[in-house]
Amino acid sequence: MDKIQESVCEFEALPREKSIGGGWIVKYKGFWCPEMLLQPTLSFQKHFISKDSDILLATLPKAGTTWLKALVFSIVHRNQYSIDQSPLLTSNPHALVPFDHQLKHGKSETLYQENNTPSSPGVFATHLPYDALPNSIFKSKCKIVYLCRNPLDQFISQWHFVVQNVPQGKKAMPLNEALELVFEGINIFGPFWEQIMGYWNASLECPNKVLFLKYEDLRKDDVFYVKKIAEFLGFPFGKEEEENGLIEEITKLCSFRSLSNMEVNKHNKMHEKYPVKNSSYFRKGEVGDWLNYLTPEMAGRAARIIQEKFGDSGLTF
Ligand code: A3P
């Protein structure tokens, strides 16, 4: 038995709950980790060697991870691919920018060999809370871009994703029960307020290390934020690029309408062993969709929790 296996056994006594998707989640060091990701998460925490040039995209699931991956991939690799040759035309953003648990041998370069995409800078994504990131990320100059979303929209998005991908023979949790659970803090990578506050505080303390963005702001003015992300990551757009409309071209390529209409995102699965269809990463891409699903009573209860958890932070949704 290797060390990681041993530690997984040690953790058998961890609090365990059913998530809204029907899978098991365990409370590990303050956050709810999907049981099936516990071992890869431990491995990532222990072995990951961050390089100064690495870029980490951090989100809660359904906060806009797919969009952020597409934008950052396009920004940092714009010299390798023109817009009409972008790998996004034929690959889902998740196939181009891997998650932390897909990492092998503790090095970010290994993530790209399979995808055949440029290994530098190493762009990868995580749903882990700030405090649970591997130490080497804090020691290196690796930059972190965090994208958060209104918790009610994020919840509605997650619930639909779960319903759409429920395994055969299993039933999705009814909406009101799911809402209760998530707003009690029992949800993958949650409690959501802890994860959001962790990155929010880090962005205030270390603004050169962590850029904190909101889905809603990006929806309002994606051109402004693409410019901001590029500057933060050390890939600022030149005058000529701006004059030639490259920022607008990137935002257009990565827009909901554009990505959701690509053949690859309409039908294909990521790969044979992965049961989730690419199309389920693109539902509506709207702000305020929760209004269509939650009763005033449900929304009121949730809003009180949001107020209680974020009230003094200066963070509003
Ligand atoms: P909805 O379910 O509200 O439509 P994630 O990428 O973290 O899994 O989040 C998925 C959510 O982001 C879904 O929200 C999806 O439609 C939305 N989304 C995906 N691509 C997007 C894009 N290019 N622009 C805006 N929203 C996008």
Side-chain angles (χ1 to χ4, degrees), residues 59-67 94 127 149 153 156-158 160-161 215 219 254-257 259 280-286 289:
T59 54
L60 280 166
K62 306 299 128 198
T65 322
T66 316
W67 189 18
H94 293 288
H127 292 317
R149 189 178 189 187
D153 275 342
I156 289 298
S157 179
Q158 191 191 358
H160 279 95
F161 186 82
Y215 181 95
R219 288 290 275 142
C254 299
S255 68
F256 180 85
R257 181 192 286 243
L259 292 184
S280 54
Y281 291 101
F282 307 94
R283 193 179 61 95
K284 285 187 179 175
E286 286 174 4
D289 191 38

